[in-house]
Amino acid sequence: MFICSPESVVAYPDLPQIVEYLTAWRQRNLGFVRDPVLVGRQIQEPARPAGISDGFEDLVNDVVRGRQSLRDLRNAVDEWRRNGGDELGAT
C-alpha cells in the first residue's frame, strides 16, 4: 500500500443509485481524512552502525535454505550486537 495501491473503484452497473450514494458519502467524509503520523518523515539509522546489517538478510535466506547453520546466524547476531546493534534499539 505504501508504494502503490489500486485505484478506488465503485462499480455497480446494475445499481447506479448506490454509486451516487457511495460517491456522495466519500465526498462528505473527505474533510475528516488525516495523514498518517509518519507522512513526510524520514527515519535514519545513526551514522556509525548504519552498515552493520549489510548481508544479514542474505544470511537468513541461506539458513532457511540450509546453506548455513543456525550457529552461523547466532554468531552473526552476536557480532551485530557487538558492532552497535544494541545502540540502534536504544535510540
Side-chain angles (χ1 to χ4, degrees), residues 10 16-29:
V10 180
Q17 194 66 28
I18 289 182
V19 174
E20 293 175 17
Y21 289 147
L22 188 53
T23 303
W25 181 87
R26 287 181 176 180
Q27 288 175 342
R28 285 192 310 270
N29 287 286

Side-chain angles (χ1 to χ4, degrees), residues 5-59:
S5 58
E7 188 66 33
S8 177
V9 176
V10 180
Y12 297 97
D14 53 334
L15 301 168
Q17 194 66 28
I18 289 182
V19 174
E20 293 175 17
Y21 289 147
L22 188 53
T23 303
W25 181 87
R26 287 181 176 180
Q27 288 175 342
R28 285 192 310 270
N29 287 286
L30 190 59
F32 300 105
V33 174
R34 298 291 179 253
D35 286 333
V37 175
L38 298 178
V39 162
R41 297 179 192 250
Q42 183 178 12
I43 300 172
Q44 287 183 296
E45 294 179 349
R48 185 173 92 59
I52 65 173
S53 298
D54 294 348
F56 198 78
E57 186 174 341
D58 292 334
L59 176 62

Side-chain angles (χ1 to χ4, degrees), residues 58-77:
D58 292 334
L59 176 62
V60 170
N61 290 335
D62 286 343
V63 170
V64 169
R65 290 178 176 87
R67 296 186 293 249
Q68 298 276 350
S69 69
L70 283 176
R71 181 180 309 242
D72 295 325
L73 183 61
R74 284 188 204 110
N75 291 337
V77 170

